């Protein structure tokens, strides 16, 4: 071989191009990223392009150091890494592993065909180990939708990806292990999740609390049973120590278990928020979130420079309990109006526009006044103006969106000293599940799951009432000066009450009970000028 032929061969070996696939997390959704790497002759240089955030730009130092500490020696070359599409801002550390793989492929340590149809995500430590990242479940779901057959993720996150069917997920501990696995010199077993075992264990993770712990308060228990059967938003109003918080915390024990699709849905939210732990596995029991009243509107709705889910989304398919609702800021209370109505939250930021699910059940608890003892005139010393101002912190538009207002009275001494045998959560749950099965049959083939989700245009179709019931609703509408939204909510609650009774039609008794739980006495929201 002459000298020119040798120079040409050297250039051909030193100038290589390689690409692989990764992803970035934007809110809860994932965006596929193509990592392109070009290694050529010239002065030693390493640069990255493609609309990158600071943490992604820093990846070149993590990658170079991790590659060296993993035992791979790279000759000084001009290295350019491009993350496309260029109009999508890349943030986070999810692309580290794909960048390292693309660089090593361009240097000849991996064949390009080994990276075809493979998605890689993971953060690199300087010693070459692969650290966990958020949003793995969302990424694997996106990869399956795009037809990718194999995902390589951090070993800590492998349990998330394994929950997705029809795609192979491999957990990697180190960069060296990744190269060995791709080259066939190291065996890595595909991750596996036992769905049945996870769902069976969900009941064991529930705290050992029960509705039978609550003495008396039959009206409150009945109201919460109705709320659980139709996923109705509920407000508990009563003095301190009456059992409002105690009952709310036991509400998940009478909610039916989640399906596997719901488990994936909720786990995806927690994964995006960085709250999914390998030691706990996927979320298989209905969430119960109880933020402190100092929580801001952003903490409830979600947000940030790169938006993350808030408490409302973390309570998806479960319960959001807001104790002392009147102590929350006005902005925090009003931010719930849109998700209660639409079942989702739209967050607009300069970097991205994100949509988070918000199919939650709101349970709020409030005291009737500042001291908490109104309307007991023996204990309450608040003036009528102070009472109206305190309750008036909750706006009428928000009150309109509450399906049930349950008055919780003080527990009688007889219920404490001579307790009767109280109904257990298991007994209540049987009735709730029966009502849910009726709703499943009714709404099969539609976008509805519960009575509370009915749009106003469909209420008349699914909540049909006779002549006597129509006349009763007309009188109620005029007497309480209801809004159209409140009128429809009464019908939806009445539909749930009928389902609990196993009735196919709504009766006047069902409507009367729904009105009892919706329209509280004028003592709280009326224009009375005195107590009592």
């Amino acid at each position: 071989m002459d000298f020119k032929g040798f120079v040409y061969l050297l250039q051909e070996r030193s100038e290589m191009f390689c690409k692989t696939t990764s992803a970035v997390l934007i809110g809860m959704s994932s965006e596929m990223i193509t990592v392109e790497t070009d290694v050529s002759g010239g002065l030693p240089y390493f640069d990255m392009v493609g609309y990158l955030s600071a943490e992604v730009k820093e990846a070149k130092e993590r990658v170079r150091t991790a590659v060296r500490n993993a035992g791979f020696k790279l000759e000084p070359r001009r290295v350019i890494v491009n993350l496309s599409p260029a109009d999508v801002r890349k943030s986070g550390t999810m692309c580290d592993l794909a960048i390292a793989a693309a660089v090593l492929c361009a240097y000849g340590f991996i064949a390009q065909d080994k990276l075809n149809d493979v998605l890689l995500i993971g953060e690199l430590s300087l010693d070459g180990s692969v650290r966990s990242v958020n949003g793995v479940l969302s990424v694997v779901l996106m990869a399956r939708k795009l037809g990718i057959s194999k995902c390589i993720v951090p070993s800590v996150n492998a349990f998330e990806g394994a929950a997705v069917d029809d795609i192979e997920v491999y957990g990697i501990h180190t960069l060296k292990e990744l190269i060995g696995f791709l080259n066939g010199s190291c065996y890595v077993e595909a991750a596996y999740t036992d769905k049945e075992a996870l769902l069976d264990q969900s009941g064991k993770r529930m705290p050992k609390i029960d509705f039978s712990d609550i003495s008396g308060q039959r009206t409150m228990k009945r109201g919460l049973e109705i709320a659980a059967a139709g996923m109705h938003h509920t407000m508990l109003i009563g003095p301190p120590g009456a059992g409002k918080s105690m009952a709310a915390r036991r509400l998940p024990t009478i909610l039916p278990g989640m399906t596997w699709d719901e488990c994936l849905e909720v786990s995806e939210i927690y994964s995006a928020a960085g709250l999914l732990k390998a030691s706990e596995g996927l979320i298989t029991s209905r969430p119960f979130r109880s933020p402190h009243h100092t929580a801001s509107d952003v903490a409830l709705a979600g947000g940030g420079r790169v938006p993350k889910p808030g408490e409302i989304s973390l309570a998806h398919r479960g319960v959001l309990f807001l104790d002392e609702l009147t102590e929350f800021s006005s902005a925090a209370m009003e931010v719930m109006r849109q998700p209660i109505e639409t079942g989702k939250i739209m967050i607009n930021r300069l970097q991205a526009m994100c949509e988070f699910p918000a199919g939650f059940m709101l349970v709020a608890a409030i005291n009737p006044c500042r001291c908490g003892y109104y309307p007991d005139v023996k204990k309450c010393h608040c003036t009528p103006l102070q009472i109206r101002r305190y309750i008036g912190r909750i706006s009428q538009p928000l009150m309109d969106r509450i399906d049930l207002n349950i008055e919780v009275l003080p527990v009688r001494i007889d219920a404490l000293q001579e307790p009767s045998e109280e109904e257990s959560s298991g007994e209540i749950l049987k009735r709730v599940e029966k009502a849910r099965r009726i709703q499943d049959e009714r709404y099969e083939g539609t976008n509805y799951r519960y009575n509370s989700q009915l749009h106003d245009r469909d209420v008349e179709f699914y909540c049909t009432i006779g002549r006597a019931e129509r006349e009763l609703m007309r009188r109620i509408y005029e007497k309480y000066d209801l809004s159209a939204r409140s009128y429809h909510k009464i019908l939806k609650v009445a539909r749930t009450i009928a389902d609990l009774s196993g009735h196919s039609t709504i009766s006047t008794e069902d409507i009367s009970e729904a009105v009892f739980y919706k329209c509280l006495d004028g003592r709280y929201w009326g224009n009375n000028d005195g107590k009592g």
Side-chain angles (χ1 to χ4, degrees), residues 341-403:
E341 199 74 13
T342 63
K344 59 185 178 182
I345 300 178
M346 297 296 297
I347 304 292
N348 291 307
R349 293 293 183 269
L350 179 63
Q351 305 296 345
M353 182 179 73
C354 302
E355 179 181 306
F356 297 127
F360 67 105
M361 176 182 172
L362 172 65
V363 178
I366 65 171
N367 295 328
C369 63
R370 171 64 68 180
C371 72
Y373 293 105
Y374 179 74
D376 187 347
V377 294
K378 295 180 180 179
K379 293 183 177 180
C380 178
H381 301 287
C382 301
T383 66
L385 180 60
Q386 289 173 329
I387 295 170
R388 286 199 297 270
R389 282 180 175 174
Y390 187 78
I391 296 294
R393 294 180 182 180
I394 307 173
S395 68
Q396 190 58 44
L398 180 58
M399 283 302 306
D400 259 359
R401 288 166 168 81
I402 304 296
D403 298 353

Side-chain angles (χ1 to χ4, degrees), residues 177-195:
E177 183 183 18
L178 169 67
I179 305 308
F181 170 64
L182 292 174
N183 288 331
S185 60
C186 176
Y187 174 75
V188 178
E189 187 176 1
Y192 171 74
T193 295
D194 190 340
K195 300 179 184 178

Side-chain angles (χ1 to χ4, degrees), residues 185-445:
S185 60
C186 176
Y187 174 75
V188 178
E189 187 176 1
Y192 171 74
T193 295
D194 190 340
K195 300 179 184 178
E196 288 73 17
L198 276 176
L199 292 175
D200 289 342
Q201 292 173 2
S202 62
K204 300 177 182 177
R205 298 179 185 178
M206 293 289 292
K208 301 303 180 182
I209 55 178
D210 197 276
F211 260 83
S212 60
D213 301 333
I214 304 173
S215 301
Q217 300 295 12
R218 297 190 183 279
T219 301
M220 177 178 64
K221 291 179 182 179
R222 170 63 175 173
L224 291 177
E225 179 183 335
I226 296 169
M231 286 294 281
H232 296 288
H233 302 298
T234 305
M235 179 175 292
L236 305 173
I237 178 169
K244 302 186 297 295
S245 300
M246 185 179 184
R249 295 186 185 282
R250 282 155 177 75
L251 190 55
T253 65
I254 62 171
L255 292 175
M258 291 201 295
T259 64
W260 181 250
D261 289 339
E262 287 178 324
C263 292
L264 287 180
E265 199 176 347
V266 175
S267 298
E268 186 179 356
I269 300 171
Y270 278 70
S271 176
L275 299 176
L276 206 58
K277 309 299 181 185
S279 58
E280 300 174 1
L282 299 182
I283 306 297
T284 55
S285 55
R286 296 201 178 272
F288 181 87
R289 305 293 298 184
S290 181
H292 193 260
H293 62 257
T294 55
S296 67
D297 54 330
V298 174
L300 288 176
R305 183 176 57 84
V306 178
K308 285 190 174 183
E311 291 290 341
I312 291 175
S313 296
L314 293 173
H316 184 63
R317 302 299 180 205
V319 178
L320 176 66
F321 177 49
L322 301 184
D323 199 6
E324 305 296 347
L325 179 63
T326 48
E327 299 300 327
F328 282 78
S329 68
S330 176
M333 285 191 282
E334 297 307 311
V335 81
M336 291 185 292
R337 285 162 56 177
Q338 182 205 19
I340 285 176
E341 199 74 13
T342 63
K344 59 185 178 182
I345 300 178
M346 297 296 297
I347 304 292
N348 291 307
R349 293 293 183 269
L350 179 63
Q351 305 296 345
M353 182 179 73
C354 302
E355 179 181 306
F356 297 127
F360 67 105
M361 176 182 172
L362 172 65
V363 178
I366 65 171
N367 295 328
C369 63
R370 171 64 68 180
C371 72
Y373 293 105
Y374 179 74
D376 187 347
V377 294
K378 295 180 180 179
K379 293 183 177 180
C380 178
H381 301 287
C382 301
T383 66
L385 180 60
Q386 289 173 329
I387 295 170
R388 286 199 297 270
R389 282 180 175 174
Y390 187 78
I391 296 294
R393 294 180 182 180
I394 307 173
S395 68
Q396 190 58 44
L398 180 58
M399 283 302 306
D400 259 359
R401 288 166 168 81
I402 304 296
D403 298 353
L404 294 96
N405 297 313
I406 304 174
E407 186 175 20
V408 185
L409 300 177
V411 182
R412 297 175 61 87
I413 186 64
D414 295 343
L416 296 175
Q417 292 185 340
E418 301 176 5
S420 59
E421 187 173 344
E422 300 290 344
E423 226 178 3
S424 69
S425 294
E427 293 172 304
I428 301 173
L429 177 59
K430 290 178 182 178
R431 296 195 295 269
V432 171
E433 288 177 332
K434 180 181 177 182
R436 287 286 185 90
R437 286 193 293 269
I438 293 173
Q439 292 172 67
D440 290 340
E441 294 175 6
R442 178 185 300 127
Y443 302 127
E444 186 177 3

Side-chain angles (χ1 to χ4, degrees), residues 130-133 136 153-161 170-173 276-279:
V130 182
R131 303 182 63 184
S132 64
V133 292
V136 169
V153 304
S155 58
V156 178
N157 300 117
F159 75 99
E160 298 179 48
Y170 297 90
I172 296 297
H173 295 85
L276 206 58
K277 309 299 181 185
S279 58

